Every structure is written in structure tokens, then in C-alpha cells.
Amino acid sequence: MDRLTIQKYGISSLTLMERAGKGIVDAILERLGRAAKKGVLVVAGKGNNGGDGFVVARLLRQKRIPCEVFLLANRDELSPDAAANYQAYRKLKGKVVEVAEDTVDALARSMKGRGLLVDAILGTGVKNEVRGLYAQAIALMNGSGVPTVAVDMPSGLHADRGTPLGVSIQAEMTVSLGYPKLGQVTYPGLNYVGNLVVADIGIDPRAVAEVAPGTELLENDRICWLVPKREPDTHKGTYGHLLVIAGSRGKTGAAILACRAAMRAGAGLVTLAAPRSLNNILAGSLIEVMTEPLRDNAAEEMEFPNDEEWRRLLQRKNALLFGPGIGVSDSTRTTLRWLLKNLELPWVIDADGLNNLAFDIERLRNAKRAPVITPHPGEMARLIGKNTATVSQDRVGVARAFATEHRCHLVLKGARTVLATPEGKVFINPTGNPGMASGGMGDVLAGILAALLGQGFSAEDAMKLGVYLHGFVGDQVAAEKGQIGLIASDVIERLPMGMRLLSPASLSLEIPTKIY
């Protein structure tokens, strides 16, 4: 997009670099102005990231903030744009110290007493392990105790995966130019970027449209428009009848949580189909939910329904949730195969449903109605036949590849949940917190998603609103009660309030419009 803006739409690279420098300086003065007044040291590389650093140094000097540049190269090695801004900085009598590996100690000495460091060493293009002088400089900056502002990307951090390439700057703040980078909004990159600020440098909208990026960071000023508005002349049938097939001995809680979450997320009606022997437990815990007792075996696991039972179960239903606490058995696998082959309703496969699916993964691609599946990393690993580490190393890549190959909608849960569509679109969810790492949270999310499908949401919109809402409410609860001891029921009870706070009418409340 940057290249198209320059080459096709006529905005010079030096203009973009000037805008970048101004955006970085504005962010520094707004958030770290007091530290900057104690003196700023810009550490620059020879490429365009270093050029941005020279613009920052010049603009800071113009604002009478003490600043000098340490260049990790010879000035003859600078890129053309960096060289131009080097000269502009020098015209203001700005000081530049050229550093080599045998003089890197000078950098360490110069950092003492500074209020702020600016990392302008490496940008988004680095893909190989950082070595030599650059690695030494990064280590010195990290060990200095002085807060660092990273230009566009913390030097040494992979822009797409967020993994450190041997060594990476640990930033207090990163000013990303134009748009956030994928490695800045997913883990482990989030551990290195600090506070993320995005500076608008004027990327041409036509360039954005031409590139058509396939990955989006969810934000509440866009999610809010998905929150449904209820009209006065509606009734419970307007908001969908959800069928939940869930529960087995020892796992009744999963079924209960999913059904309660579905009701709180706006489902008009919910029917729980579960083993007959557990019906008294379930019916007594779910006052607002209807139950449909299913034939079961001695282990209190459901038996595969016959044609008449299927007809009764699916009659006048608008969506289906399969899997929470259902167990893994021949019967549940047979039930899932039948659903994959025959079900026409929008549906969600969760928890034990996914463990059953792992035995028949080849059937997913040819499902009559593409489901929404909601694996955590361990379940995702079983679905792809790999280990959890493989999933964690490239959550976005794994999610996108699986959703497109198997023609399903995918919610890969975890810190920064990843949503993927059969068309290859990916959405990153920024809401949620470690307090939500407790039993039953996944059942709650599954109930929310299924309820939204029953209300007529497309699978994509249900994923976006459901996942964002789930984490948003968890954040609200954590802010009130703390993260430790936060349980799934806390989130369920706050879902209506979360819907209200996310609605367009509530945007004036104190909710951040940009969450990175």
C-alpha cells in the first residue's frame, strides 16, 4: 500500500516519511512528553526506518527538546530518503554519532541520563535473525532502563508473526505507521510493542482498496453496528429457537452454561436435548429453557436419534449447538456424521463436538451447512494432527488455512482469539483478559454464537459480535471484581449490559473507540 501510494498515486516517499516523523513526535509529546524533555536519543539504522528517525530528531529539536542521533552505520550507507533527512537534520546543527561494533560502548555511555530512547533501527522488512552491531545496540537499549519508543515496529520483531528474531526491542510505546501490523496485535508480539499507537501517514484509500487486506482488527466503533435493535412489535419467535445438543454424566454444567448464555445473548427460545437420565438435573437448573430427553445408555450418554426423533428435535428450530459436555463415543460420532451430512440449519460445533469431529475431519469439507467451530489450541492441534506448539507459533496462518481448506467458519480461542472464514478472511479480537482462563468460558461463548445465528446473523457477523462481546463483558467484570476468581457465570449475567454498552447509542460512554 505504501509503494502504490508513492508509485501510482503520486505522493512522494519523502512526504510519507515526513508525515511518519510528525505522527511519532505527536505521540511522544502527548504520552511521554515529560520524559522527552529530559533528552532524547535516537538510535538509527541505515534504511528508511532510520530515515524516520532523522525526521523525529529534527522535529524534536525544532520544539527545543534536546535530541541527538546515534547512527549504526556510515552515513554513506544510508538509503536515499534516509540520506535526505540526515542532511535536513544536520542543517539544524543536529549531532550525529556514527557507531561501529568496536565503538558501541559510546552508545551505552550516551544513554545514561536520557529521558527517552527512539528505536529507528529496523522496520517491517526484517525476516532473518538480528546479529552483530544491531543486536548489540538492541541489547544495550533494553538493558538501559530508559523507556524506548519504537518507530513502526520494535526492531528485531517479525512484523507478521510477532516473534523476536533472536533479539527484539522491548518498547514502552510503538508508533505503527499507517496501520497496525499483524505481529503487533497478536502474541508474542504484544509483549514487545508496549502501548500501540497508529499514526495516519496518508496511505491512499485507492491503494488500500487495490491491496484488499484480508486481516482486520475488531474495534468497537465498527462492532457496535452489529448489536441488534429490538422493535416494539416483536415476540419470542422473532429471535430464534435454538436447539442445544449437549451434556453427559459429569458434564451437565457445560450444557447449562451454554443454554444460559444463549438466553442472555438474546435467543427467543432454547431447547436442550440431553440424555434422559440427566433430565431432572438439567430441567431443575434451567428455568427458562425447555428440555428434550434423549434415549441414553448405561453411561448416561445420548444414543443416536432415530428419524422420528430427528424430525421432532429439528422442527421449528432456527439454529443448533452441538457438543458442550456431550462426551466422545460411537453414538456421538454417529450423531455428528448425520448432522454434517443432513443439517440445513446454521450451527456451532464446540468442545466434545470437536473431539468427535477429529475422528472424521475429512467429512467437514463436504458438510451440507458449513458450521462455526470453536477450538481452543489443544483441540485445534487434534483437528490438524499436530501439536499445540505448532498452532501457537502461527495462530493466524493455521486458522486461515484450516477454514479455507475445510470450508468452515473458525474461532481459534485464546489470547487474541482469531476468527477465520471459508473465503480466507481473518479477524483478530482484542477483547478479553487472563481472568477468563477458567472452566466454562468456552461453553458460554458457544451459547452466544449459536444464539446469534438463531437470530439471523450470518456466520461471519455472529463470530465478530459474539467473540468481541464475550471478551468485552469479561473485561467489564474484571474491571469491577478483578481477574482472579472471575467465572463463566459472571460473564453470562453481564451479557445484556454488554450488549447495551456496545450499542451505537452508548458510544458516548467511556469506552475506548480504539483498542489495540
Side-chain angles (χ1 to χ4, degrees):
M1 293 188 294
D2 186 86
R3 185 170 60 252
L4 284 170
T5 297
I6 296 166
Q7 297 177 356
K8 190 171 182 178
Y9 300 113
I11 298 178
S12 74
S13 56
L14 285 173
T15 297
L16 292 181
M17 191 171 282
E18 188 71 17
R19 292 173 181 171
K22 183 179 184 304
I24 296 161
V25 169
D26 288 347
I28 288 173
L29 296 180
E30 180 181 344
R31 293 166 175 82
L32 296 167
R34 183 175 297 179
K37 288 177 182 177
K38 298 177 183 177
V40 178
L41 177 64
V42 177
V43 184
K46 62 186 178 182
N48 285 346
N49 200 252
D52 294 333
F54 281 113
V55 178
V56 169
R58 171 168 50 82
L59 296 179
L60 287 174
R61 284 183 62 83
Q62 288 175 344
K63 294 181 181 294
R64 301 186 181 280
I65 292 176
C67 183
E68 63 180 302
V69 179
F70 270 55
L71 176 61
L72 305 180
N74 186 287
R75 61 181 177 274
D76 296 333
E77 300 177 88
L78 291 170
S79 70
D81 286 356
N85 278 298
Y86 167 89
Q87 294 296 339
Y89 170 69
R90 292 289 289 137
K91 284 182 181 179
L92 289 181
K93 301 189 183 331
K95 182 180 178 181
V96 179
V97 177
E98 296 178 13
V99 181
E101 287 194 49
D102 58 352
T103 59
V104 74
D105 288 346
L107 173 61
R109 291 192 298 271
S110 184
M111 287 188 286
K112 294 179 180 178
R114 304 281 180 171
L116 197 65
L117 305 178
V118 174
D119 160 35
I121 303 172
L122 296 165
T124 58
V126 60
K127 305 297 180 187
N128 299 318
E129 185 174 338
V130 180
R131 301 176 183 273
L133 177 59
Y134 284 4
Q136 292 179 52
I138 290 169
L140 288 172
M141 293 170 73
N142 285 343
S144 69
V146 182
T148 299
V149 174
V151 172
D152 202 21
M153 197 77 194
S155 291
L157 197 66
H158 195 291
D160 295 326
R161 296 188 177 182
T163 52
L165 296 164
V167 63
S168 172
I169 284 288
Q170 181 71 61
E172 176 79 13
M173 178 174 73
T174 298
V175 184
S176 190
L177 304 177
Y179 294 92
K181 313 305 183 285
L182 187 56
Q184 296 169 339
V185 298
T186 55
Y187 287 98
L190 279 158
N191 295 323
Y192 294 87
V193 300
N195 294 316
L196 180 62
V197 178
V198 179
D200 182 4
I201 62 172
I203 297 292
D204 195 289
R206 292 169 292 182
V208 180
E210 190 168 335
V211 171
T215 308
E216 181 180 331
L217 180 67
L218 299 180
E219 297 175 306
N220 61 3
D221 53 354
R222 298 187 67 174
I223 291 295
C224 70
W225 301 106
L226 295 176
V227 176
K229 180 181 179 182
R230 296 209 162 186
E231 300 298 336
D233 57 340
T234 55
H235 52 83
K236 62 188 176 184
T238 307
Y239 304 108
H241 189 166
L242 171 65
L243 174 64
V244 178
I245 303 178
S248 62
R249 179 193 294 174
K251 298 181 179 178
T252 53
I256 292 167
L257 289 169
C259 290
R260 288 181 58 218
M263 294 298 297
R264 289 295 192 187
L269 291 166
V270 175
T271 293
L272 172 60
R276 180 178 289 117
S277 56
L278 302 175
N279 189 67
N280 289 344
I281 296 171
L282 296 168
S285 301
L286 294 167
I287 301 171
E288 298 89 355
V289 174
M290 296 175 284
T291 60
E292 186 72 53
L294 299 177
R295 289 181 296 110
D296 58 1
N297 58 26
E300 294 180 321
E301 296 172 331
M302 64 171 285
E303 292 285 1
F304 176 67
N306 59 37
D307 290 344
E308 175 59 23
E309 289 168 330
W310 275 125
R311 185 196 64 77
R312 187 174 67 254
L313 285 172
L314 296 176
Q315 188 175 24
R316 293 193 295 274
K317 303 302 190 301
N318 301 101
L320 182 142
L321 167 58
F322 178 82
I326 204 168
V328 179
S329 65
D330 290 341
S331 177
T332 51
R333 286 197 293 273
T334 301
T335 301
L336 179 58
R337 292 187 194 112
W338 189 94
L339 291 169
L340 289 166
K341 182 178 180 181
N342 298 286
L343 187 68
E344 297 180 351
L345 299 177
W347 63 312
V348 176
I349 306 175
D350 180 54
D352 279 341
L354 297 169
N355 294 326
N356 284 290
L357 181 63
F359 291 94
D360 288 301
I361 195 64
E362 69 282 352
R363 297 175 187 265
L364 178 59
R365 179 180 177 85
N366 297 313
K368 189 163 190 177
R369 180 70 177 253
V372 176
I373 68 171
T374 57
H376 57 57
E379 291 163 342
M380 189 76 248
R382 286 192 284 276
L383 292 174
I384 64 174
K386 301 287 179 64
N387 56 36
T388 304
T390 301
V391 175
S392 299
Q393 286 167 5
D394 187 14
R395 286 166 52 82
V396 170
V398 168
R400 178 179 274 130
F402 189 91
T404 53
E405 179 183 352
H406 295 282
R407 297 179 182 173
C408 65
H409 304 272
L410 175 67
V411 175
L412 178 52
K413 295 181 291 193
R416 294 293 164 113
T417 291
V418 178
L419 320 178
T421 73
E423 299 78 28
K425 289 190 288 185
V426 165
F427 304 90
I428 308 295
N429 179 58
T431 63
N433 61 82
M436 299 176 74
S438 63
M441 286 293 177
D443 303 310
V444 172
L445 177 59
I448 294 169
L449 295 171
L452 294 175
L453 290 176
Q455 292 172 66
F457 281 77
S458 68
E460 180 180 314
D461 285 347
M463 289 195 302
K464 292 193 300 189
L465 175 58
V467 172
Y468 193 95
L469 171 69
H470 182 247
F472 176 81
V473 171
D475 290 340
Q476 295 285 311
V477 175
E480 292 176 9
K481 297 184 177 183
Q483 293 182 5
I484 298 174
L486 195 163
I487 61 174
S489 294
D490 295 331
V491 173
I492 291 174
E493 295 309 314
R494 287 300 302 267
L495 286 172
M497 181 67 74
M499 283 282 201
R500 184 177 70 79
L501 289 174
L502 280 179
S503 66
S506 296
L507 279 181
S508 59
L509 299 178
E510 292 183 7
I511 303 171
T513 56
K514 300 288 184 185
I515 303 174
Y516 298 116

